[in-house]
Amino acid sequence: MGVLSYARRGVAVFFEYDTPRIVHIRSKKVGVINRIIQFLIVAYIVGYVIIYSKGYQKFGGIDSAVTTKVKGTIYTNVSGLDPLYNNRIWDVGDYIQPAQENGAFFVMTNVIITPNQTQGECAEDPAIMPCDTADNCTAGEQTPNGNGVMTGECVSYPPEPTLRSCEIHAWCPVELDELPLEEALLKNSSVFTVLLKNSVEFPQFGIKRRNILNTMDSEFLHKCRYDPNNATAKLCPVFELGVLASSAGQDYAKMAIKGGVMEIVITWDCNFDRDVHECISAIQLLPSRRPNDELAKGYNFRYAHYYYTGDVQTRVLYKAYGIRFMISVTGQAGKFNIIPLATNIGAGLALLGIATICCDVVVLYLLNKRDFYYEKKYLTVKDQDAFLLGEEDNGPPDAGSTR
Ligand SMILES: Nc1ncnc2c1ncn2[C@@H]1O[C@H](COP(=O)(O)OP(=O)(O)OP(=O)(O)O)[C@@H](O)[C@H]1O
């Protein structure tokens, strides 16, 4: 075919127009296929999109605020325990650090206390800067793990005089990084309770809800304890820390030794087509620590309390190990609205066109009588202009030839 011929065909295509034609096919096979596909599409739209996924509702998110209050006390009385930790009451002011946080709280479960530190020169921990002679200690230098800056001297280490370490300018005496017990000092904190107060607002619907219901009073809050397996106790906003840990599949006593992080997820999934009072929160607990991580496992940090002895500034250094509970709030609510319903019905009607496409494929390409159906479906009509353009099958113009 020459270039001229291609050009003529291109011009002919430009001057063509396709218009749909209704071909009414009476065939059991095609009819059944058509109805099955239509049924599946209608079932998907009505059953899944509109009813299951609530396609008749408008959805909106939440704004949330959470506060917490922990209660509980422990008395430590263990024979052989350093007097610094023994015969001592530990209450909220001791083990909650800091006193208030946004969407989180930290409960100290183990601690290393280094009292009476003052600024001066003393021997570094031999595990950090051991030395044989002063040549091993460079004046003015520090190491990232160290407690101070070297003076350039090598001295004996008072807690174990056989050991020698570099002398440092530091808060002295330096911390001895050893936990007081093999188990967690405050492992009984598993019975401590935390009250979670969560207020949420659904701005799209102008509705506010709290996890503390109006039906609850102070007596209920004092007595109730959250229990995921009990219908009433499931609504209680007071949680035992041990139960929180076990709900997340964690052993509290083990986790208390080196600390850890846990996530409390409060979920609000509400349907405002029902009674607003049925809109209540659900709690889910996730451990953020993977149980088999040995390196750098746990959670701890240091803080200090400062005071003056005479004119000398003195401090107590705490290395606090504990569990940090992080609270996140998620959720959404839905309410009937005509716009999403109309949009989903419209999308469903458009989807019904798929039935036609599928049946066309069956009729025109798969059935034995496909040539017959093809002939009935496509009709080529030429008018006077097309004839004048000189197409290849140059017959005279007609009113209805088929191909
Ligand atoms: N962790 C908790 N465990 C059990 N009950 C708690 C806890 N935290 C608070 N409550 C109780 O819940 C109620 C509401 O607490 P909220 O902090 O609003 O009031 P409060 O009177 O200041 O509490 P309190 O003085 O007892 O700390 C109070 O009756 C309080 O005793």
Side-chain angles (χ1 to χ4, degrees), residues 359-377:
C359 290
D360 275 1
V361 169
V362 172
V363 167
L364 300 176
Y365 299 103
L366 303 180
L367 291 186
N368 289 340
K369 288 200 277 178
R370 54 185 177 271
D371 290 340
F372 170 72
Y373 288 127
Y374 197 96
E375 217 169 75
K376 293 292 175 197
K377 182 163 168 64

Side-chain angles (χ1 to χ4, degrees), residues 123-131 157 159-160 163-166 174 176:
E124 175 60 290
D125 183 342
I128 299 173
M129 283 183 201
C131 62
Y157 179 64
E160 285 184 59
L163 298 177
R164 289 173 70 77
S165 63
C166 293
V174 295
L176 189 57

